[in-house]
Amino acid sequence: MRLTTKGRYAVTAMLDLALHSDEGPVSLADISTRQGISLSYLEQLFARLRHFKLVKSVRGPGGGYRLMSSTADISIAQVVDAVSESLDATRCEGKGNCHEGEVCLTHHLWEDLSAQIHQFLSDITLADLVARNDIQSVRARQDLRVVTMQKDESHIAVSEIL
Amino acid sequence: MRLTTKGRYAVTAMLDLALHSDEGPVSLADISTRQGISLSYLEQLFARLRHFKLVKSVRGPGGGYRLMSSTADISIAQVVDAVSESLDATRCEGKGNCHEGEVCLTHHLWEDLSAQIHQFLSDITLADLVARNDIQSVRARQDLRVVTMQKDESHIAVSEIL
DNA sequence: CCAATTCCGAGTATTTTACTCAAGTATTCA
DNA sequence: TGAATACTTGAGTAAAATACTCGGAATTGG
Ligand code: FES
Ligand code: FES
């Protein structure tokens, strides 16, 4: 089972994209600022997301990324699959040969678990997440903070906008 | 989410123990031979399993390990929990602080996933696995192979017992 | 042109994993 | 009793994976 920072970042970034998709293309720099993910790392992740046709890029100034399909048509499983090798829980990666070339005692158990996890994440779409209250409240906090930071960079005292 | 070789080995070893529990205490050396897991590594794993009261040890010649409870009372989740830190899928380890000390966008999603995985593995007991056909057939193959190896060590030609 | 932005390939420090090794301690059988 | 068996403990380590960084090329709007 491979669910690492990479997969989590990818989902976070895609969700950020979904949340801001009505404002035109979203640049990786924006996502980087809002979500605290390194820009270079995001570039790596989006290369794969683009390869898997989950996003499309718009180059040049004012460019960024857009979702390729509607938020209701992109599942979390797709996103994780795109960046992680797979979210297979077996040791043999499905080949059934991890103990002296033969199937090990627990192979079928891990297969079942993998199927379970995949099903769960396939049933959740970006649209589902966007609709959740807990996520909207996190979003609100983050947007506020980013605005604050931008103002701050323009040498306007934080107190003025609070 | 932390499901590594460690957790898989632990489940494999516990299942091996369950399969041979009617033959008195099972030594780690036996499990090592049958399942192809390093003896020293098994020692590490069983130290934790014992600590979590899933097995008890019988010292001295002819000793080994026994299950602490009936196979129907030991779930896979318990075994994995004992050796892995946890099978939590969040990045913050449940603390909700992975982005600048605050909850990140996807925290709740990973919490849900963790609960799902935990539930799935909690519902499966060693007894369930022992009863499965696929596992019995793997067992049969392994037992045969071990007998063959033992005879071989006693300098009896393999052909004699085939 | 120039600046913003994506695109691409290598390179690398850190962490984790999956072990090994060595020196114990406890128990039992003969 | 004492030797053999087996568990117990703690430290150490090589290899792999992770989570990045870096430098620069390509693209495009203004
Ligand atoms: S996990 Fe597939 S053979 Fe062991
Ligand atoms: S995963 Fe818990 S706060 Fe990000």
Side-chain angles (χ1 to χ4, degrees):
Chain A
M1 167 68 185
R2 184 171 277 148
L3 180 52
T4 65
T5 302
K6 200 182 222 169
R8 290 192 208 100
Y9 276 176
V11 175
T12 303
M14 287 292 280
L15 182 52
D16 183 278
L17 196 49
L19 288 169
H20 299 86
S21 54
D22 49 347
E23 306 157 18
V26 180
S27 77
L28 293 188
D30 286 354
I31 300 181
S32 172
T33 308
R34 276 192 295 260
Q35 306 305 332
I37 306 173
S38 132
L39 178 59
S40 306
Y41 202 37
L42 279 174
E43 286 170 358
Q44 264 186 52
L45 299 180
F46 274 77
R48 307 210 57 174
L49 293 172
R50 192 171 60 91
H51 194 75
F52 277 71
K53 307 221 187 293
L54 295 177
V55 297
K56 61 186 165 196
S57 65
V58 181
R59 289 180 148 203
Y65 286 92
R66 285 179 191 280
L67 293 178
M68 198 81 152
S69 350
S70 124
T71 54
D73 293 331
I74 300 179
S75 74
I76 307 305
Q78 284 179 284
V79 176
V80 175
D81 279 342
V83 296
S84 300
E85 291 305 329
S86 85
L87 39 83
D88 184 18
T90 62
R91 170 175 166 74
C92 59
E93 293 168 7
K95 294 195 288 285
N97 63 349
C98 86
H99 182 207
E100 316 245 334
E102 312 243 30
V103 135
C104 74
L105 262 187
T106 46
H107 176 79
H108 301 92
L109 172 64
W110 309 126
E111 269 191 341
D112 290 353
L113 176 62
S114 304
Q116 183 83 7
I117 294 171
H118 205 273
Q119 185 61 49
F120 179 74
L121 292 182
S122 292
D123 287 345
I124 302 178
T125 67
L126 286 180
D128 293 333
L129 292 184
V130 168
R132 283 173 63 154
N133 286 334
D134 45 26
I135 285 172
Q136 282 296 341
S137 71
V138 174
R139 179 217 173 139
R141 175 160 49 70
Q142 289 182 344
D143 285 355
L144 178 64
R145 199 163 54 79
V146 167
V147 168
T148 315
M149 286 171 64
Q150 285 168 346
K151 296 281 182 188
D152 205 36
E153 280 165 10
S154 327
H155 306 291
I156 298 176
V158 173
S159 57
E160 290 181 35
I161 57 170
L162 287 181
Chain B
M1 169 66 184
R2 185 172 277 148
L3 179 52
T4 65
T5 301
K6 200 182 217 167
R8 291 193 208 99
Y9 276 177
V11 175
T12 302
M14 286 293 279
L15 182 52
D16 183 279
L17 196 49
L19 288 168
H20 298 87
S21 54
D22 49 348
E23 305 158 16
V26 180
S27 76
L28 293 188
D30 286 354
I31 299 180
S32 172
T33 307
R34 275 192 296 259
Q35 306 304 332
I37 307 172
S38 129
L39 178 58
S40 304
Y41 202 37
L42 279 175
E43 285 169 357
Q44 265 185 51
L45 299 180
F46 274 77
R48 307 208 57 172
L49 292 172
R50 193 174 61 92
H51 194 74
F52 278 69
K53 306 220 186 295
L54 295 177
V55 297
K56 62 188 164 192
S57 65
V58 181
R59 292 179 145 203
Y65 284 92
R66 285 179 190 281
L67 294 176
M68 199 79 154
S69 348
S70 124
T71 54
D73 293 332
I74 300 180
S75 75
I76 307 306
Q78 284 180 283
V79 176
V80 175
D81 278 344
V83 297
S84 300
E85 292 305 329
S86 83
L87 39 86
D88 185 17
T90 62
R91 171 174 166 73
C92 60
E93 294 169 5
K95 295 196 285 285
N97 62 350
C98 84
H99 181 207
E100 317 246 334
E102 312 244 29
V103 137
C104 74
L105 263 187
T106 46
H107 177 80
H108 301 91
L109 172 65
W110 309 127
E111 269 191 341
D112 290 352
L113 176 61
S114 303
Q116 183 82 5
I117 294 171
H118 206 272
Q119 185 61 50
F120 180 73
L121 293 182
S122 290
D123 286 345
I124 301 177
T125 65
L126 287 180
D128 293 333
L129 292 183
V130 168
R132 285 173 62 154
N133 287 333
D134 47 26
I135 285 173
Q136 283 297 340
S137 71
V138 174
R139 180 216 172 142
R141 175 161 47 72
Q142 289 182 345
D143 284 355
L144 177 64
R145 200 164 53 80
V146 167
V147 168
T148 314
M149 286 171 65
Q150 285 169 346
K151 296 282 181 185
D152 206 37
E153 280 166 10
S154 326
H155 308 292
I156 297 176
V158 173
S159 57
E160 290 182 35
I161 57 170
L162 287 182

